[in-house]
Amino acid sequence: MMTGEAPLNTRRSSNEAAPPGFRALAEYITRELGIKMSDAKVPMLQSRLARRLRALGLDSLEQYHRYLVSSEGAAERPPFFDAVTTNKTDFFREPQHFRYLVESALPSLDPGSDRFWNAQVWSAGCSSGEEAYTIAMTLGDFGAARQRFDFSILATDISQRVLQAGMDAIYEKPLIAPIPEELRKRYLLRSRDPADELYRIVPALRSRVRFSTLNLVGPEYRVSQSFEAIFFRNVMIYFDKPTQERVVCRLCRHLRPGGYLFIGHSESLAGLDVPVRMVAPAVYRQALTGEP
Ligand SMILES: C[S@@+](CC[C@H](N)C(=O)[O-])C[C@H]1O[C@@H](n2cnc3c(N)ncnc32)[C@H](O)[C@@H]1O
């Protein structure tokens, strides 16, 4: 520890006051990212920012906040967003959704096999790409059994670190465990050096996934296409109810009529005024034009 540095003590009792700077940072996080930050998050924020404070030679959350919001602090915002977001994800996480996508959702939107169909799916809050590539593998197989079908996936997140990992598309062996063996054979390449035990998504799938920075609570979504399905899973769990409602309504504007919204199984749209109705666990659908 540097001389004069405030100890980044991660143990605190529940009635202890939040350290100076914590509330200002918490408000900044909620305003910029929509993420709720109660005083219970003090240890988490301290431990996640400890490395940033050391890198900048700062002694306290208060100093860090002052730097972050200053004009010189603009370059600190991406590493700050990397540090404060929770990026847990997996290939084939909540796998029933991928079955639903190809067994129910897409067949209900099929324009007919005499028409060319370029299906669009958005992974909003995509983390390091596992969700987007799972969708890509699922659609790759769906397309192999169908004429005149192609697909594109938009994968967006606020964290540059995870977006870069998604673009690199290289995953360590334990991460690929949930991918069924036959899909691994088709869609993964193993590193040349077997000692590395690294796997890369094949170029044909990588080329169908476009990664982009997008803040779901930011002023505008620079997204022009409309989507057959939007995966918005395990993101709004960190938002308060009004933010959840606003973000879901904004996302739904990018669904094509009859399009589907997938949320995490531990999330709910109950009590929110949103233009979709539940059709399966954690799956919602926008009305087809003309439907009540
Ligand atoms: C727990 S991960 C979920 C990843 C994936 N959707 C899944 O279910 O496996 C949540 C992701 O949401 C992103 N996120 C949080 N707030 C965001 C915001 N305001 N705008 C865009 N992405 C955000 C985080 O960076 C993180 O990568």
Side-chain angles (χ1 to χ4, degrees):
M1 187 183 295
M2 288 173 296
T3 327
E5 187 181 352
L8 287 168
N9 186 5
T10 52
R11 273 184 305 180
R12 69 189 278 285
S13 76
S14 55
N15 53 6
E16 222 175 292
F22 171 81
R23 296 231 168 89
L25 273 172
E27 274 167 31
Y28 182 81
I29 292 168
T30 307
R31 194 171 58 247
E32 293 295 315
L33 300 179
I35 298 172
K36 296 176 285 187
M37 277 278 153
S38 69
D39 284 4
K41 300 279 168 63
V42 167
M44 185 195 85
L45 197 68
Q46 284 179 318
S47 76
R48 287 187 177 189
L49 291 178
R51 198 194 296 194
R52 294 310 309 151
L53 264 72
R54 274 197 301 276
L56 296 163
L58 298 175
D59 290 343
S60 67
L61 292 181
E62 198 174 22
Q63 285 183 3
Y64 184 77
H65 173 256
R66 220 175 298 130
Y67 176 68
L68 186 69
V69 297
S70 69
S71 48
E72 312 86 78
E76 180 57 19
R77 280 161 220 160
F80 173 67
F81 293 154
D82 288 345
V84 300
T85 52
T86 300
N87 314 110
K88 156 120 190 72
T89 188
D90 280 313
F91 286 104
F92 286 91
R93 185 179 195 183
E94 305 180 25
Q96 49 281 52
H97 276 164
F98 305 101
R99 278 197 299 277
Y100 189 91
L101 179 66
V102 289
E103 288 173 8
S104 301
L106 289 183
S108 77
L109 297 169
D110 193 335
S113 55
D114 53 332
R115 304 255 306 271
F116 183 76
W117 185 13
N118 189 1
Q120 310 282 323
V121 179
W122 182 1
S123 167
C126 61
S127 189
S128 35
E130 286 88 332
E131 182 175 79
Y133 290 125
T134 301
I135 299 166
M137 291 179 204
T138 308
L139 295 189
D141 276 18
F142 178 80
R146 197 188 181 283
Q147 302 269 300
R148 302 193 183 91
F149 178 84
D150 208 345
F151 63 92
S152 325
I153 296 163
L154 173 66
T156 64
D157 205 282
I158 191 60
S159 162
Q160 298 303 313
R161 181 175 48 76
V162 292
L163 285 169
Q164 188 57 55
M167 285 183 260
D168 293 344
I170 297 169
Y171 299 95
E172 288 172 8
K173 191 173 181 190
L175 298 179
I176 65 153
I179 305 176
E181 183 60 35
E182 71 276 12
L183 296 184
R184 282 190 220 168
K185 285 192 192 129
R186 262 200 297 289
Y187 298 122
L188 296 182
L189 298 168
R190 189 165 177 179
S191 52
R192 279 201 197 94
D193 182 350
D196 282 349
E197 302 214 308
L198 295 175
Y199 295 80
R200 189 163 200 206
I201 306 292
V202 295
L205 277 200
R206 295 208 306 271
S207 67
R208 285 178 168 80
V209 182
R210 185 168 67 84
F211 287 90
S212 182
T213 309
L214 186 143
N215 185 353
L216 291 161
V217 302
E220 58 173 331
Y221 293 3
R222 292 208 183 118
V223 172
S224 52
Q225 66 268 54
S226 49
F227 296 88
E228 271 77 357
I230 299 178
F231 281 68
F232 176 49
R233 307 188 312 160
N234 307 301
V235 182
M236 69 171 166
I237 200 161
Y238 304 104
F239 298 165
D240 64 18
K241 286 265 171 203
T243 310
Q244 292 178 350
E245 185 172 292
R246 245 187 339 269
V247 172
V248 169
C249 288
R250 289 177 84 182
L251 287 172
C252 288
R253 280 182 225 137
H254 295 275
L255 279 176
R256 55 166 276 187
Y260 292 80
L261 178 74
F262 294 80
I263 65 170
H265 282 82
S266 54
E267 298 169 322
S268 163
L269 299 187
L272 303 187
D273 186 10
V274 290
V276 280
R277 66 186 169 82
M278 194 170 176
V279 290
V283 186
Y284 293 77
R285 189 175 190 197
Q286 186 150 71
L288 281 159
T289 321
E291 245 181 28

